[in-house]
Amino acid sequence: MIEAGIDRRGVLRGLGAAGLGAATGWALGAPAAAAAAPPNVIVVLIDDLARRELGCYGNTFNETPHIDRLAADGTRFTAGYVAAPVCSPTRASIMTGQYPARVGITEFLGPSGDDFLPAGLRTLPATLRDAGYRTGLVGKWHLTETYAGPVRERPGNPWSHGFTDVIASEQKYIAGGDYFHPYFMLPDLPQRLANEYLTDRLNLEAVDFITAAHQQGTPFYLQLAHYATHTTLAAPQALVDKYAAKPNAGDKGRSPVLAAMLEVIDDGVGAIRATLDRLGIAGNTVILLLSDNGGDGGVATSAPFRGAKASLYEGGVRVPMIAYHPAGPGGRVVDTPFSTVDIMPTVLGTTGVAPPAGARFDGVSFAGLLTGGAAPQRDTLFWVYPHWHNPGAPTASVRRGRHKLLRYLHDGRTELYDLVADQGETTNLAADLPDKAQELRAALDAHLRDVDFFPPEPSPANLPVLVVEREFDTGLGGFTVLAPGPEQRAGTVAAAGGLLTVAAGGAPAFALLRSDVAATHTNVAAIVSQRYYANAAATSQDSLFAGLVKDAGNYVLAWYNHKLKRAGWDVRIGGALTGERVTQLDGKINYPGPNARLACVLHRDEITAYAIAAEGWQYLFTADVGRHVRLDDPSVRAQYRYGFGVRLDGGTLAVERFAVRRR
C-alpha cells in the first residue's frame, strides 16, 4: 500500500533494500511451482504520453527509474505503435487484436452517443476469463458513449467484455482531467487515502488486485489504465515544486506538472514489481507498458518525431512500448514494429490460451521474441483516421519496411517518407520514388476496401447501380417541396429546361425536396449537382443539402454553404434540430460550379459527405448519426426518402441534376 504523505521513492527504496523491489534475480526467486503455472500478465497503459518523456528513451528532466529498470530488464521497442492517434480506438485494438476501422471505432468516444465496443467481439479479457484467468481493469475504459443508467447494464461496459473485476473505472464522462478526490467521474468511489490523488489510488488498487488474485490461486490478467497524463494536468504540489526547481523547468518538453504525474505512475510500476517479488510470482508474470497515443502537443514535444496526438505522423502513433518477460533477456532493444493490434495475439501466445474460434487478428504474436527468439515476420501496418481533430486531418497511412505513405483523405494528397533515414518525416519522397509510392497507395486502397469502415467516393465505379436520376426537364414530377423551420417558407421553386431554381424572393427561404424513392439500401449516395449559386445576392445562406428526408420535421442532411465556404450536417428528428459545422473546413473549400456536386453517402448508421468541382471528388467528413436515428435499421431507413435542399437569404440557386447511386 502506498500511504499518503509518505515519500514514494523512500518506500520503494526501502522495499528494494529488503530484497523486495530489486528486479535482478526475480525469475530465480520464484517458487518452483510457479514455473508450471499459467503466466500472469499485466498491461500498464499510460494516457497521452509521448515516447521521449521516459528516461529510457532519452529524457533527462523527468524521473522514471522503475520504468527505466523495466526496460533494462526486458525489451524496449524503438518502433512501438498504437493503432490510432487517439484513445478509444487504440483501446479497442488492444481488446480485439484488430484495426480500429475493422472494429468500427476510429475516434475517441464522446460524452453522449450510441457508440461502444461491439458486444459480439471476442475480446482478450473474455478469452482469458474463459480459460480460468481472473481479469481486472483498474482505471480508464473509454469504450462506450453511454453514461446513464446502471453501469453494468450500459452497452459495451467492461464486464460485458470479460473483466471479472472493474475497479475505479469511470462512471461519468472523462473530461479535462479529474485527479483529486472527490472525483466527478467516479462519484461512488470512496476515498482510501488522505488527500487522495487518483494515480496513487489506481496504483494501490492494482497492488491489491494482484495480491487478491494470488491468494485466490488463480492466474490473472491486469490492465492498469491510468487517466494520467491526460490534460488538464494536475499532480501533488510537493512533486510539482520538486520539478519546478529544476533548471529550465517550464520550457517546452520540461513540464513540472507532467513530470510529477509521471513520477507517480513510475512509483506504481515499482510498487507492482515489489509486490510480485514479495508474493513470489515475479518469475511468472509478464509486463507490458505503453502509451495509448502520442503526447498532447500543447504540453509535450514528440521530437525527433513530427506531429502529436490526433495526427498520423510518427509523433501521434509511435509511443513508448516496453515488454518484460522473466524468461527473456534483459536490455534488448528491438526495431521491429510492434503495434497494439499485436497485444492480444502476443498475450494469448504467451499464456498458451487458444484464440477464440473463428478469431481474425490483424496483429501477430511477439510471444517468441519476448522470450529471446526472433521477431515475427511483420510486413505492413495500417492506420485509418478519417476525422478532423486538430492538429490532424482525415488521413490514412501505411508503413511497409522502412517506408511510410500518408494520404490526406480530403484532397487525396500523398506523402512518402523513409523512416530509417528520416524519422522526423521532413522529406516527401513521393515524386522521387514513384514506384514505391504507387505500391503503398495500392496497399492502402486494398486495406480501405478490406476494413469497409467508410464508403469510397460516390463515383459510378464504386456505386455502379443508378437508383434514380432527375434532370428537371419537365417540372417537379416525383418530388414534394417542403418548407422546414426556422424559415418555414420554400421561396419560389420552379423546374424547366433542365434546371431547378429556388429564389429567396426577398426573405430567407429553405426548400427541401423529397423524392418518392424510399431509402431501402445502405452504401448509397444522394448526389445533387448545382449549376450556379446566389453568390453576392445572399448575405450568409447560400447552401446546398443532400441526404434523407422523411418530412419537414425529420431529415438527415449533409450541407455545403458556398457563401461562407463551410460544410456540416443537420439532423432533425421530431422537429428538434441537431447538427455540427465542421469548422476545420471553414474557408478551405470552394465548389462554385457549374457541375459542382454534393454527395451524402449512407453507410451503416453514418453519413459521409463528399463534394466535387473540377478537381474531382473530395472527402469532407463522416458523421455518426446513430444516436439520433438508427438508419442501419432497414425498417427505420425505409421511412425516409432520398432528397436535397436549398437554403437562401437572397438571390437564386440553380440545381441541374439529382441522382442516387448504390453498390
Side-chain angles (χ1 to χ4, degrees):
M1 179 180 295
I2 304 172
E3 296 293 348
I6 298 176
D7 178 72
R8 298 175 183 84
R9 294 288 190 234
V11 169
L12 293 166
R13 288 192 194 101
L15 291 172
L20 299 178
T24 54
W26 279 21
L28 297 176
N40 309 303
V41 178
I42 299 171
V43 175
V44 179
L45 190 56
I46 307 171
D47 201 281
D48 289 4
L49 186 71
R51 195 181 76 158
R52 71 173 303 278
E53 300 295 344
L54 297 179
C56 54
Y57 284 97
N59 194 287
T60 58
F61 182 79
N62 303 330
E63 298 177 17
T64 55
H66 300 292
I67 295 175
D68 299 343
R69 168 62 76 177
L70 187 71
D73 293 340
T75 299
R76 179 170 63 85
F77 290 91
T78 63
Y81 284 105
V82 288
V86 292
C87 166
S88 300
T90 290
R91 294 166 196 273
S93 72
I94 293 172
M95 290 292 95
T96 64
Q98 295 183 339
Y99 285 120
R102 195 182 306 284
V103 174
I105 297 175
T106 57
E107 178 65 299
F108 72 91
L109 300 186
S112 62
D114 70 332
D115 208 356
F116 58 90
L117 187 65
L121 295 169
R122 290 295 297 168
T123 57
L124 175 58
T127 305
L128 293 173
R129 176 202 61 194
D130 293 347
Y133 274 70
R134 185 167 175 175
T135 53
L137 170 67
V138 174
K140 189 172 181 178
W141 177 238
H142 206 177
L143 284 171
T144 182
E145 287 184 321
T146 300
Y147 291 93
V151 177
R152 296 189 68 148
E153 296 177 11
R154 297 175 186 175
N157 70 75
W159 291 274
S160 71
H161 285 293
F163 282 106
T164 60
D165 299 69
V166 178
I167 305 163
S169 189
E170 69 274 3
Q171 300 172 25
K172 297 185 180 298
Y173 185 64
I174 306 103
D178 183 18
Y179 293 111
F180 290 94
H181 195 276
Y183 313 110
F184 64 76
M185 66 182 176
L186 295 163
D188 298 333
L189 188 69
Q191 180 173 275
R192 289 184 62 181
L193 305 171
N195 303 313
E196 185 173 279
Y197 182 55
L198 181 57
T199 309
D200 272 331
R201 175 64 178 271
L202 299 186
N203 291 337
L204 174 62
E205 297 291 354
V207 167
D208 286 353
F209 172 82
I210 293 167
T211 303
H214 174 67
Q215 290 172 345
Q216 186 183 12
T218 58
F220 64 82
Y221 170 82
L222 169 62
Q223 188 163 307
L224 171 57
H226 284 291
Y227 295 96
T229 58
H230 192 282
T231 57
T232 301
L233 304 182
Q237 191 60 47
L239 284 178
V240 176
D241 293 343
K242 166 187 169 180
Y243 287 97
K246 286 191 169 188
N248 304 118
D251 290 354
K252 189 66 177 287
R254 301 170 74 88
S255 166
V257 186
L258 179 61
M261 298 175 83
L262 189 52
E263 178 171 321
V264 185
I265 293 172
D266 185 71
D267 285 343
V269 173
I272 285 170
R273 298 194 74 186
T275 300
L276 296 173
D277 194 59
R278 173 174 55 83
L279 298 175
I281 55 175
N284 197 39
T285 301
V286 175
I287 303 174
L288 303 175
L289 182 143
L290 66 152
S291 174
D292 65 345
N293 48 249
D296 186 323
V299 297
T301 176
S302 299
F305 302 134
R306 179 179 179 180
K309 176 182 178 180
S311 163
L312 288 188
Y313 289 114
E314 294 290 278
V317 293
R318 198 162 174 177
V319 299
M321 193 170 290
I322 297 165
Y324 169 77
H325 194 299
R332 194 175 188 188
V333 178
V334 173
D335 296 328
T336 302
F338 180 30
S339 168
T340 49
V341 297
D342 302 322
I343 288 179
M344 182 170 179
T346 297
V347 170
L348 295 182
T350 298
T351 59
V353 174
R360 175 183 181 179
F361 293 140
D362 289 310
V364 297
S365 174
F366 278 70
L369 179 139
L370 298 187
T371 55
Q377 293 298 311
R378 154 54 53 70
D379 182 48
T380 308
L381 283 172
F382 296 99
W383 294 264
V384 180
Y385 189 60
H387 305 286
W388 294 96
H389 182 169
N390 287 329
T395 318
S397 63
V398 52
R399 174 174 176 167
R400 176 172 291 171
R402 64 191 294 159
H403 291 102
K404 175 181 174 183
L405 181 133
L406 289 92
R407 176 187 296 162
Y408 283 90
L409 299 176
H410 169 52
D411 56 14
R413 175 168 46 98
T414 59
E415 300 171 358
L416 178 69
Y417 299 103
D418 182 338
L419 294 180
V420 175
D422 177 24
Q423 62 180 343
E425 297 170 289
T426 61
T427 304
N428 182 4
L429 301 174
D432 298 325
L433 300 174
D435 292 344
K436 178 57 69 173
Q438 181 54 37
E439 172 197 334
L440 294 185
R441 286 191 194 101
L444 189 55
D445 285 340
H447 176 70
L448 293 175
R449 290 192 297 269
D450 179 41
V451 297
D452 192 33
F453 175 72
F454 64 97
E457 65 182 39
S459 65
N462 295 321
L463 302 175
V465 180
L466 186 63
V467 177
V468 63
E469 184 175 38
R470 300 281 193 274
E471 293 188 330
F472 309 109
D473 289 319
T474 56
L476 286 170
F479 285 93
T480 300
V481 179
L482 306 172
E487 293 84 359
Q488 294 187 316
R489 64 180 300 271
T492 303
V493 182
L499 283 183
L500 180 143
T501 57
V502 178
F510 186 4
L512 193 56
L513 290 102
R514 182 187 64 203
S515 78
D516 56 7
V517 181
T520 54
H521 293 88
T522 188
N523 291 316
V524 60
I527 308 167
V528 58
S529 302
Q530 157 275 332
R531 176 69 64 84
Y532 57 80
Y533 288 99
N535 292 309
T539 58
S540 64
Q541 291 294 340
D542 191 6
S543 303
L544 198 61
F545 295 77
L548 303 182
V549 182
K550 183 177 180 181
D551 52 43
N554 296 271
Y555 51 76
V556 181
L557 300 169
W559 55 263
Y560 164 66
N561 184 324
H562 179 65
K563 180 71 176 181
L564 300 177
K565 307 297 185 290
R566 292 176 176 173
W569 55 270
D570 284 351
V571 174
R572 189 184 292 270
I573 303 297
L577 179 66
T578 57
E580 184 176 337
R581 173 178 133 212
V582 184
T583 57
Q584 294 92 337
L585 290 172
D586 286 357
K588 299 183 178 68
I589 51 178
N590 188 22
Y591 306 104
N595 201 35
R597 278 165 275 174
L598 173 69
C600 178
V601 187
L602 175 64
H603 181 62
R604 300 184 300 209
D605 63 347
E606 299 145 354
I607 60 169
T608 295
Y610 287 89
I612 192 172
E615 66 272 20
W617 285 109
Q618 290 187 326
Y619 172 88
L620 297 181
F621 60 84
T622 296
D624 179 355
V625 298
R627 72 192 68 177
H628 309 294
V629 55
R630 297 306 313 218
L631 295 176
D632 52 350
D633 182 336
S635 65
V636 174
R637 191 168 62 244
Q639 299 173 31
Y640 286 77
R641 303 293 181 264
Y642 302 110
F644 67 97
V646 171
R647 192 173 186 185
L648 297 163
D649 52 17
T652 302
L653 191 153
V655 170
E656 61 184 7
R657 183 170 177 266
F658 177 72
V660 177
R661 309 195 68 94
R662 68 173 176 85
R663 286 184 185 173

